[in-house]
Amino acid sequence: MNKKIFGVFIFLTIVVNAQPTLLSWNLSNLGSTKSDTTIQFIANQIKDYDIVALQEIVVNPSGAQAVAQLADELNRTGKKWDYAISDPTSSSAYKTERYAYLWQMAKVQLVGEPWLEKKYALEIDREPFYATFHYQDKEFTVVNFHAITKKRQPETEIKYFKFLPEQYPHLNLIFVGDFNCPETHTVFNPLKKMGYFPAFENQKTTLRSNCLEQDCLASPYDNMYYRLDKIKIIKQGVIPFYVHFDSLNDARKISDHIPIWIQFDLL
């Protein structure tokens, strides 16, 4: 390979690697039963991503301590990370919890303070947690969400998401998290009509109790919804962390969900 071609290759590699990555993971009661070894394992799974949105952080002080410990482990990798934790969600009828963000400070910058959705706090049990990030000369806002369980009909609260783009018309929203609802459900049709589409289709993200032959995943509940005219997805994928364990029972001590991620460009 001559020097000119090699130089172009390096330039293109740098450009591709410069595009931000966003990961979402429901960590199943982070702070209640996670050991130091577990925190180290989680950090190793997420360390290569720029922004991490976490769901299901326990409300008691151990939840915030676990996120701080996770950030400390990430900082040991040689990159500088920061983090933000939400106040407890306001639901009194169901299970209240916290959300969290972690991000690489050299890659993106937090804009202002993250906030919990207030307008629909009565209609949505665990109201979404927003954070706006600056990347190069553009901004985008991640909307971190954990829906009520399928048994309690998550579509009854997801239906309010169609009002959020109009409520925040100046923000480039990316809805991420555990929706407990597949992207094929009609409740997402209003968002799709507004130009928001799922990053994943037919991608199962929850762990079974036991694998059925090689099939260890159950339901397509975790996803990301983004505006096609504002964001271009370069790559997307999942992290099958459970392959590092002898059994799904052991893997489920980390989480009963696998992480999902995208690499994207802002248009």
Side-chain angles (χ1 to χ4, degrees):
M1 183 183 294
N2 64 44
K3 291 183 179 179
K4 184 175 181 180
I5 295 175
F6 181 76
V8 171
F9 174 79
I10 292 296
F11 172 77
L12 290 175
T13 300
I14 292 172
V15 169
V16 170
N17 288 340
Q19 292 159 332
T21 52
L22 169 62
L23 179 143
S24 174
W25 198 357
N26 177 333
L27 272 176
S28 299
N29 293 313
L30 179 66
S32 62
T33 58
K34 303 295 192 285
S35 66
D36 291 349
T37 301
T38 296
I39 295 293
Q40 292 169 2
F41 177 85
I42 293 170
N44 192 55
Q45 299 300 301
I46 66 177
K47 65 182 181 180
D48 295 324
Y49 300 87
D50 302 320
I51 304 170
V52 175
L54 300 179
Q55 304 91 44
E56 207 165 310
I57 313 298
V58 300
V59 168
N60 63 46
S62 64
Q65 291 166 3
V67 175
Q69 184 181 355
L70 182 55
D72 185 57
E73 285 294 333
L74 290 168
N75 280 320
R76 295 175 190 272
T77 66
K79 297 176 181 178
K80 183 64 176 175
W81 288 75
D82 202 352
Y83 67 96
I85 306 171
S86 76
D87 290 333
T89 54
S90 61
S91 170
S92 59
Y94 193 53
K95 176 186 173 185
T96 184
E97 61 187 51
R98 298 180 190 267
Y99 298 98
Y101 289 105
L102 303 103
W103 63 94
Q104 290 194 40
M105 298 176 69
K107 193 63 172 287
V108 296
Q109 298 77 47
L110 181 68
V111 178
E113 294 291 330
W115 72 98
L116 285 168
E117 174 60 49
K118 297 300 183 184
K119 185 171 182 179
Y120 298 103
L122 296 179
E123 291 81 10
I124 301 174
D125 273 11
R126 294 177 291 217
E127 64 270 31
F129 186 45
Y130 300 73
T132 298
F133 295 94
H134 182 90
Y135 171 71
Q136 294 184 348
D137 61 343
K138 295 185 174 71
E139 294 181 357
F140 58 95
T141 301
V142 184
V143 186
N144 195 357
F145 178 59
H146 183 197
I148 53 178
T149 62
K150 182 180 180 181
K151 179 174 62 176
R152 298 188 66 235
Q153 298 181 307
E155 61 272 18
T156 60
E157 56 182 17
I158 295 172
K159 67 182 182 181
Y160 292 99
F161 277 53
K162 64 186 177 184
F163 300 118
L164 299 180
E166 183 178 352
Q167 184 177 338
Y168 301 100
H170 60 294
L171 298 182
N172 182 6
L173 301 177
I174 306 176
F175 301 99
V176 311
D178 173 12
F179 295 88
N180 276 313
C181 194
E183 81 282 353
T184 53
H185 196 288
T186 56
V187 73
F188 294 108
N189 286 349
L191 279 178
K192 292 175 181 178
K193 290 179 180 178
M194 286 183 271
Y196 288 87
F197 281 83
F200 299 87
E201 295 182 356
N202 301 315
Q203 174 62 62
K204 296 177 180 179
T205 59
T206 64
L207 292 185
R208 295 184 183 276
S209 297
N210 296 286
C211 295
L212 300 178
E213 296 183 351
Q214 300 300 313
D215 185 8
C216 301
L217 299 177
S219 302
Y221 286 167
D222 301 81
N223 217 317
M224 303 185 183
Y225 295 84
Y226 66 101
R227 278 275 298 266
L228 287 178
D229 61 340
K230 293 188 176 182
I231 290 173
K232 178 182 180 182
I233 291 185
I234 308 302
K235 296 179 183 178
Q236 70 254 75
V238 301
I239 302 178
F241 74 90
Y242 55 88
V243 300
H244 298 286
F245 295 87
D246 294 332
S247 70
L248 283 189
N249 184 56
D250 289 337
R252 288 167 67 95
K253 294 176 183 177
I254 300 290
S255 178
D256 56 352
H257 290 250
I258 59 173
I260 61 173
W261 62 269
I262 61 172
Q263 182 180 46
F264 61 98
D265 200 5
L266 297 166
L267 303 179

